[in-house]
Amino acid sequence: MTGSVKEAQPTAGRLAALLIDSSTEAISAAGGHAGGVYLRSRTPGLLRLAVLSGLPGPLFRPWWRMHVDRPFPVADAYRLGVQVILPNATETMRRYPQFAAGLPFHFGSLYVPVVNGSTTYGVLTVLRPAVADASEVLAGRDRVVRLAQELGAALRVLEEQDADQVAWDGEPMYLRPPTASTSVGRVGRFAWDPSTTAITLDEDLHTLLGVPPSEFPGTAEAFADAVAPSDAHRILGTLRDTAAGRPPALPLYLRDTDGELRLLDLWNAYEPPAAPEVRGVVVAPGPAPTADSAADLLPDGVFCLDRLGLVVYANPRAAELLGRPRAELVGRDLWEAVPWLGRPDFEDHLRAALLAPDPVHFHLERPPAPEPAPNRPVQETGPVAGDKDGQPATAGGDSEPRTRDTDQPASAQNLDQPASAQNLDQPASAQNLDQPASAPDSELPPEPSPQHTEPAPQPYEGDWLALSVYPGPDRLTCTVRPASGVADSPAARGDGEAAEVGGSALAPLYRPIALAIALNEAVTVRQVSAVVMRELLPAFGGRRLAIYLLQDRHLYLEWETGFPKGFLSPFDGVGLETRLPGVETLTSGRPLFFDSMEQLTAAYPGIALDAAEGARAFLPLIASGRSVGSCILGFDRPRSFSTEERTVLTALAGLIAHAMEKAQRYESETALARGLQQVLLPRRLSAHPQLETTGRYLPGTAGMDVGGDWYDVVESGGGLALVIGDVQGHGVQAAATMGQLRSAVRAFALGDRSPDEVMSSTNHLLIDLDPGLFASCCYIRLDPATGLARAARAGHPPPLLRQADGRTRVLDLPGGVVLGVDPRARYPVSEFQVDPGAVLALYTDGLVERPGHDIDEGITALRVALAKAGAPARPGQRFLAGVADRLTATARHATDRPDDIALLLATRRGTPAGGPH
């Protein structure tokens, strides 16, 4: 959102405030612990998460965007306008298996559409504790329904004031839900008016700061000095940023003159027509330091996270075991403070603790710490940049932490980047109005330390850590201890896998289910490859992937990621007689595993290597006994492959092979259908000196079959016949039927038949052909000299007529049923006049239909767009090509176009001119 603070910001602020209030109240009404609001976006058919309360936003990144056609509860609630109640994980798995595979945790959820009149704006969602039966949440459901109705009415009012603002295209706002426990700290509130620079404090804040109202001058400078003198400049800068619509993403952590912790939170308050005001709170945590002091003495590490992933406490032992100074832990996102935790396995466990009530226990191998220079203290290390594969780098260079699940399944979703609860890319107008937000690295002064050094882990403690996460209503309490002192830990067992240098933890065994579900939706070879990269690599800690497909007894590279640029080029197109592991795994049908690069070179002397160390797995892609190709997985460090891992990888290779074979068949059929359709569409349109015509055809996007849309302009008697049609279905059959109908209509038109005869004859032909398909069609015979048009319509959307003065209307022509259904169908003929300079528009439903919306809305939008498209500047000027491009611009640039689109435009010229476009 852009614009001035006075104009755009108040509207955005009111929208954000409505969404925040509704989400907060819905969570409370339904007894939930998290929730949010999905709002429609400016991309047709796409919902975006606008508000997320009670959960770290980046940890749930895969659910930020939701297409309304997806098999998810949010999409069903929006598309069908129904309430979806999922009381527990069993019901969720039964009704929405893909959603359950992504979040396989024991929780319930509720989804209510936000509707007003015929408009659906979004979906109000609540995540809550699981119950045995849906009847137990009906009372809370009713209250959420009322909130959704109130939100819909409020959004309608806002839409009437500024229709463009009631949509969401940015990242979600992250909120902390209402706390379940009473705070023991002290809180004071204030308000600052940027226009007058006056600041007012409530009585509680005067008491907290120890400044009586009579002694307070009412300036921002005096306020900053009273809160934290050493950080006064930061407070003033943050006040100015908030007034400009850029409130901080998390609270500021400050220290007063006595060194006591104080939290400062700021947000915008809009009360139009007044200018934006800054409001905030100052919190003194109270007696919490007493409890902190007690926890500081515990022998085990203890740290606490709020529900957005912010570290609110860490004792010295936790800082020591995590390898970070306390000053760099407290007040920062966990993934920012400890980058090596930003990996899918750990994030799955954290999602489980956030969504389900049971504690989560697991083991994790920390990366080796860098060795300090002699006679120097260990330097503190901040977050480091990710490596070239987009995976989080660690303090130990290429090392990567490993997790071992002991009792909790992980989710099937993979986040491609370390999570961070900051919301930096979001427009200022869409930022959270009262959300705590992330403090810079310097916001929390470092803990006093004689040399400011971080103690290194003791040698006897080993590399494995035992972590436990205990969920609470407002925060997560985590304990961490050396795994060498925990029974049944990898270090205590001393098993071979843990002892292997660089050995990896067993990947979650639920991955076959998750991969199968994801592969089921992938229809092209590229989509299948992308799913493998997204699901398979993170599950096993891999960094490199290559997929080769078999064609004419040669293997051709289809997909690669992680390998040095150009390294795999010499292997593209190798024959099956070549002695290479990627070839022999396919010809033998056996997977090949190499725990180290030394093993690989010993088995294949002289083979080119892309790295000096690592491990490799070569998997045959064989579907029902038919060779499809081979898959290569690469790992940065040596590792062993357990029997279970080898079994899982072999099974996954079979799933991938079947998906690849299906995708290859789909692409072959699609290429045939597209070629057939392009041949059958007219290369040029019949010309007339007094008539300009132009046509546009757009196929559906990747993943959709070719449709049967067509258009044509045919000489008919002394005039021209304008034809547009749409065959039901997609694929080769639809394209072939379209070609037959186009030829039939052209033949009947050239015979100078009337419009009703053309429609009736084509209808009988389609019934005789019996392809099992029906078609819609609109046929208009236009006399360019007089402008008289005679039309017949068979179940097709009505044409539009734009007069030269810009007035545009829908031609509500009577018509008959679609072609190919009723041999006795009649198609009445209508007459209307097309004046010089007027534009006649014929189109197929792909241009005006959107999932979840009435087609009349799309026709109205097209009518408005045609009215704004303009008229020729001079008589005889050719301009329809530009009009056609403008009418199809949105569809042409859409990433998700579910149906084909055909458009035919015609206009009469006052004087003879050239031919068509």
Side-chain angles (χ1 to χ4, degrees):
M1 302 178 187
T2 60
S4 68
V5 172
K6 291 185 178 180
E7 295 177 4
Q9 296 282 3
T11 304
R14 291 196 299 274
L15 173 63
L18 287 172
L19 301 178
I20 290 168
D21 291 345
S22 299
S23 176
T24 302
E25 293 179 27
I27 293 172
S28 177
H33 48 66
V37 181
Y38 280 88
L39 204 63
R40 65 186 186 183
S41 69
R42 292 177 180 83
T43 301
L46 182 68
L47 300 176
R48 284 186 178 271
L49 183 61
V51 172
L52 179 62
S53 178
L55 296 171
L59 199 59
F60 291 82
R61 184 181 296 272
W63 296 272
W64 282 9
R65 295 158 44 99
M66 184 69 61
H67 197 281
V68 296
D69 286 334
R70 297 277 288 172
F72 282 80
V74 170
D76 277 0
Y78 181 88
R79 185 181 68 256
L80 305 177
V82 299
Q83 303 156 21
V84 179
I85 303 175
L86 303 175
N88 49 52
T90 302
E91 182 68 7
T92 303
M93 176 60 78
R94 185 183 70 82
R95 296 177 58 184
Y96 299 98
Q98 185 171 344
F99 177 60
L103 294 172
F105 312 123
H106 193 55
F107 69 99
S109 53
L110 173 64
Y111 309 85
V112 178
V114 179
V115 182
N116 187 269
S118 61
T119 303
T120 302
Y121 294 101
V123 179
L124 190 58
T125 69
V126 177
L127 308 182
R128 63 180 317 280
V131 294
D133 189 77
S135 60
E136 300 181 45
V137 301
L138 292 182
R141 185 276 314 268
D142 293 340
R143 291 193 290 272
V144 175
V145 169
R146 288 195 295 271
L147 289 170
Q149 293 171 345
E150 294 171 1
L151 177 59
L155 292 178
R156 170 56 61 89
V157 173
L158 194 61
E159 184 179 41
E160 292 172 351
Q161 299 172 358
D162 189 349
D164 190 53
Q165 293 293 339
V166 186
W168 199 269
D169 289 301
E171 294 186 1
M173 300 180 291
Y174 315 142
L175 310 176
R176 286 176 175 79
T179 56
S181 58
T182 303
S183 174
V184 295
R186 295 174 294 160
V187 179
R189 293 168 174 79
F190 66 91
W192 180 53
D193 186 348
S195 60
T196 64
T197 71
I199 190 165
T200 56
L201 318 182
D202 66 5
E203 183 178 351
D204 292 336
L205 187 51
H206 277 291
T207 302
L208 189 153
L209 298 178
V211 180
S214 59
E215 299 178 8
F216 183 64
T219 65
E221 291 77 9
F223 167 75
D225 288 336
V227 174
S230 61
D231 284 317
H233 64 288
R234 281 184 46 231
I235 296 175
L236 294 174
T238 306
L239 285 170
R240 289 190 293 269
D241 288 345
T242 305
R246 300 187 301 274
L250 290 173
L252 303 183
Y253 281 71
L254 309 167
R255 300 284 181 178
D256 64 10
T257 53
D258 297 327
E260 295 297 329
L261 180 65
R262 284 180 177 169
L263 280 68
L264 174 65
D265 198 6
L266 301 170
W267 64 90
N268 296 107
Y270 296 99
E271 297 179 356
E277 186 180 71
V278 175
R279 295 184 183 178
V281 296
V282 177
V283 180
T290 303
D292 292 352
S293 299
D296 285 351
L297 303 176
L298 294 176
D300 292 337
V302 178
F303 61 97
C304 299
L305 311 174
D306 70 4
R307 294 196 67 85
L308 295 189
L310 186 77
V311 181
V312 296
Y313 168 76
N315 70 356
R317 183 60 168 154
E320 177 183 342
L321 293 174
L322 295 177
R324 307 294 293 172
R326 292 179 72 183
E328 295 186 10
L329 284 174
V330 179
R332 301 177 68 181
D333 300 333
L334 179 62
W335 304 275
E336 176 189 0
V338 190
W340 52 270
L341 291 179
R343 57 167 289 156
D345 294 349
F346 174 76
E347 291 170 352
D348 282 336
H349 294 305
L350 196 56
R351 274 192 284 266
L354 286 163
L355 295 177
D358 301 322
V360 179
H361 310 281
F362 56 97
H363 295 100
L364 179 144
E365 187 189 39
R366 59 185 168 192
E371 296 184 4
N375 301 322
R376 291 187 179 182
V378 178
Q379 295 186 1
E380 299 168 9
T381 57
V384 295
D387 68 8
K388 64 184 178 182
D389 295 327
Q391 299 295 331
T394 68
D398 293 335
S399 61
E400 181 179 357
R402 294 176 285 154
T403 59
R404 179 177 297 274
D405 189 359
T406 56
D407 65 355
Q408 175 67 48
S411 91
Q413 294 289 342
N414 166 39
L415 301 184
D416 295 331
Q417 61 187 24
S420 166
Q422 296 193 25
N423 192 9
L424 303 181
D425 298 330
Q426 179 176 317
S429 59
Q431 296 226 5
N432 178 10
L433 300 187
D434 62 357
Q435 149 198 351
S438 158
D441 295 352
S442 60
E443 286 179 4
L444 189 63
E447 295 288 334
S449 175
Q451 297 182 351
H452 201 57
T453 62
E454 191 65 27
Q458 298 300 319
Y460 66 86
E461 293 177 346
D463 292 330
W464 287 92
L465 300 177
L467 275 78
S468 297
V469 184
Y470 299 88
D474 303 323
R475 63 182 59 189
L476 307 179
T477 300
C478 310
T479 64
V480 56
R481 68 185 68 178
S484 56
V486 180
D488 197 36
S489 71
R493 288 197 310 269
D495 57 23
E497 185 180 340
E500 283 282 348
V501 177
S504 174
L506 179 63
L509 296 183
Y510 64 83
R511 284 290 173 180
I513 300 174
L515 185 64
I517 293 173
L519 288 175
N520 187 54
E521 294 192 347
V523 295
T524 68
V525 170
R526 300 292 290 176
Q527 290 174 348
V528 171
S529 301
V531 167
V532 175
M533 181 189 70
R534 187 174 65 248
E535 294 289 345
L536 193 62
L537 280 185
F540 293 86
R543 294 296 185 89
R544 293 168 171 82
L545 171 70
I547 296 177
Y548 287 84
L549 297 182
L550 181 64
Q551 182 179 350
D552 298 330
R553 294 189 57 79
H554 288 77
L555 286 173
Y556 293 93
L557 181 63
E558 178 61 35
W559 182 281
E560 66 169 304
T561 183
F563 287 92
K565 185 176 181 180
F567 172 76
L568 295 177
S569 299
F571 305 101
D572 192 14
V574 297
L576 293 186
E577 69 283 354
T578 309
R579 189 174 185 273
L580 288 170
V583 175
E584 293 190 351
T585 188
L586 179 63
T587 56
S588 67
R590 294 182 296 104
L592 302 176
F593 299 93
F594 300 95
D595 296 353
S596 65
M597 303 304 276
E598 289 77 11
Q599 285 188 9
L600 178 59
T601 54
Y604 294 88
I607 188 174
L609 299 178
D610 61 297
E613 66 172 13
R616 296 291 182 268
F618 297 85
L619 308 175
L621 301 183
I622 300 175
S624 302
R626 293 183 297 275
S627 299
V628 177
S630 59
C631 176
I632 304 173
L633 299 180
F635 304 85
D636 284 348
R637 300 176 61 192
R639 56 158 293 166
S640 61
F641 296 90
S642 67
T643 302
E644 292 172 293
E645 285 181 307
R646 294 176 185 232
T647 301
V648 170
L649 284 171
T650 303
L652 294 180
L655 292 176
I656 297 168
H658 280 282
M660 280 293 182
E661 186 181 47
K662 182 185 71 173
Q664 288 177 315
R665 287 199 305 267
Y666 167 83
E667 290 186 345
S668 298
E669 180 179 336
T670 300
L672 174 62
R674 289 206 189 283
L676 177 62
Q677 189 176 49
Q678 290 298 328
V679 169
L680 295 176
L681 284 172
R683 293 182 178 274
R684 58 181 299 275
L685 303 178
S686 298
H688 192 281
Q690 289 181 274
L691 194 68
E692 179 189 351
T693 59
T694 190
R696 294 291 183 270
Y697 171 76
L698 298 175
T701 51
M704 303 301 299
D705 290 322
V706 175
D709 294 17
W710 93 92
Y711 63 86
D712 206 351
V713 178
V714 188
E715 294 182 9
S716 181
L720 290 180
L722 309 175
V723 188
I724 196 162
D726 183 3
V727 177
Q728 169 224 6
H730 299 85
V732 174
Q733 186 178 13
T737 303
M738 177 270 286
Q740 293 173 313
L741 291 185
R742 175 176 174 264
S743 299
V745 172
R746 172 173 279 270
F748 295 141
L750 290 172
D752 197 19
R753 298 192 185 188
S754 64
D756 57 326
E757 289 183 88
V758 173
M759 287 290 96
S760 296
S761 300
T762 306
N763 179 47
H764 285 109
L765 175 65
L766 184 57
I767 292 174
D768 291 341
L769 292 173
D770 192 22
L773 302 175
F774 58 82
S776 67
C777 184
C778 183
Y779 181 96
I780 299 177
R781 179 173 173 177
L782 177 63
D783 186 342
T786 65
L788 177 64
R790 304 182 71 240
R793 194 161 62 95
H796 201 81
L800 302 177
L801 182 63
R802 181 193 187 278
Q803 301 295 345
D805 59 4
R807 291 180 294 111
T808 306
R809 62 190 177 97
V810 178
L811 297 177
D812 190 12
L813 308 178
V817 298
V818 293
L819 305 174
V821 174
D822 183 5
R824 297 183 301 274
R826 295 293 179 265
Y827 300 95
V829 177
S830 303
E831 294 186 356
F832 58 92
Q833 187 69 28
V834 179
D835 298 326
V839 178
L840 183 63
L842 287 74
Y843 53 92
T844 56
D845 56 5
L847 186 59
V848 293
E849 272 192 329
R850 289 192 303 162
H853 294 267
D854 191 88
I855 190 173
D856 291 337
E857 297 180 14
I859 294 175
T860 300
L862 180 62
R863 179 182 62 79
V864 172
L866 180 60
K868 296 178 179 179
R874 300 185 307 274
Q877 182 188 18
R878 298 159 64 92
F879 80 110
L880 281 188
V883 174
D885 289 339
R886 287 192 289 274
L887 294 181
T888 57
T890 300
R892 191 168 58 251
H893 295 102
T895 57
D896 186 7
R897 194 166 53 243
D899 198 3
D900 290 15
I901 292 172
L903 173 68
L904 178 62
L905 301 180
T907 184
R908 286 183 63 210
R909 297 192 179 100
T911 57
H917 292 271

